[in-house]
Each structure stands twice: as C-alpha cells, then as structure tokens.
Amino acid sequence: QVQLQESGPGLVKPSETLSLTCIVSGGSIDNYYWSWIRQPAGKGLEWIGRIYINGNTDYNPSLKSRVTMSIDMSKNQFSLKLSSVTAADTAVYFCSRGWITWFDPWGQGTLVTVSS
Amino acid sequence: QSMLTQPPSVSAAPGQKVTISCSGSSSNIGKNYVSWYQQLPGRAPKFLIFDNSRRPSGIPDRFSGSKSGTSATLAITGLQTGDEADYYCGTWDSSLNGGVFGGGTKLTVL
C-alpha cells in the first residue's frame, strides 16, 4: 500500500523559497500524476500543481510564476519549490498521487508558516 | 474564490440522508469526471468517490455520487456521527489546465 510523507522546514522567511519533498513508500513512483495541494488554516483545498514520471508538469496559473516541481525516481520522491513566499503562502501542504481528476492517497500534510 | 461551488454547511439527523451539491461550469464538471473527499478535523482528505460515481475499495455504499451537466452531488445515507467532517468535490478544469476544488461543505450530524 503506497504511503506518502511530506518533509521540509516548517518555517520560511518572507521573500525566501519554500522547499518540500514527498517521499513515496510501499511502492514505486510510476504511471500516475504526483501532486501538491495546500490548505490555509480554516480554508479549502488549493491545487498547486502536478508532475508526471517523464518530468512534464502542470501548475496552477495563479502560482505558476513561482512554482517548480521535480521528480527523482531513483529516490522515490518528488519535490516542490515555491519562491518569493509571503504570509499568504502559510498553509498545510499535502502531497498526493493521482490521475487526471482524482487524488489518492494523500500524505498527512505539513504546516509551513511564512514569518520573519 | 473556488471554481466549484458547494454549500458551506449541511446537517441532518443520525440515520437520515443528506446530499451535498457541487456546481461548476462547462470547462470543468461539464467536461471531466468529478471526485469527492472527506476531511476529518486535523486529518488529510480521504478519497470517497471518483469518476463521478465510483467508490474506491473500502468505501461503504452509504456514500454515492452522481453528475448531471455542470453539477455533481454526493449523497450519504444512514448518517452516523462519525460522518461529521468537511466534504470537498474536485475535478480538472480544461480551460485553466489545472485541478480545481470546491470550497468545502461542513456536515453536521445532529
């Protein structure tokens, strides 16, 4: 059974780059889309973007200029970088496996706070 | 503001049925499959429904989904107190070329 676990700093300074990694266990990174989704406290889910095993990416248009995703099949993990962060980027960040219109499973989520 | 519109809250008594609507447009629900998720407080979303009406293994048949035109509906029958959670719909938007979610609906089992 595939499991996902997010890792990375819980505190990032404004204007710096948020970097998270999602480690996939119980299976290999294979023919699915690997996505990042975030959720500000008390608010709904926001899709950040996805990466396929061939490295092709799709990003949320509202974040596209600041997002970079990568995938490392040798380490069974994929990553998110979000540059020039502000307080508005404070959220719980989830990684997930999925296909075009669904996401499963999800990581437990990691809280990232943007503050000086 | 979410691309998909859900009611902020719904409520019903234990044992009853509740429905949660998800309204979109021709570029998202009208063109693509819909999925549904249950999120308990402090937890990651749990996969409930995919391809409009299909249940992943392990999801009880009390949960069902449907789609008509640019709207989708999640129905939960035989409500239990453990069903109290936030519910989200999701799909792909072919114009944005991105994933979209509803704003979420808080279910209260009275």
Side-chain angles (χ1 to χ4, degrees), chain A residues 82-94:
Chain A
L82 181 66
S83 64
S84 304
V85 297
T86 69
D89 295 309
T90 294
V92 174
Y93 285 75
F94 298 100

Side-chain angles (χ1 to χ4, degrees), chain A residues 33-114:
Chain A
Y33 288 105
W34 301 88
S35 297
W36 289 95
I37 296 157
R38 70 181 182 179
Q39 185 174 35
K43 296 189 178 181
L45 302 169
E46 179 180 31
W47 181 80
I48 299 171
R50 69 183 185 183
I51 186 165
Y52 193 58
I53 55 171
N54 62 3
N56 286 350
T57 55
D58 294 296
Y59 299 142
N60 186 321
S62 69
L63 299 170
K64 189 172 184 177
S65 63
R66 299 193 291 131
V67 173
T68 303
M69 293 183 184
S70 60
I71 194 164
D72 187 336
M73 295 180 68
S74 68
K75 294 183 178 179
N76 235 32
Q77 64 186 39
F78 60 105
S79 299
L80 166 71
K81 291 188 186 298
L82 181 66
S83 64
S84 304
V85 297
T86 69
D89 295 309
T90 294
V92 174
Y93 285 75
F94 298 100
C95 59
S96 182
R97 184 189 72 171
W99 197 235
I100 297 171
T101 59
W102 56 263
F103 305 95
D104 180 66
W106 298 57
Q108 66 183 28
T110 187
L111 174 62
V112 178
T113 301
V114 178

Side-chain angles (χ1 to χ4, degrees), chain B residues 64-81:
Chain B
S64 63
S66 63
K67 181 182 118 172
S68 178
T70 59
S71 293
T73 301
L74 174 70
I76 311 172
T77 59
L79 276 173
Q80 303 172 0
T81 55

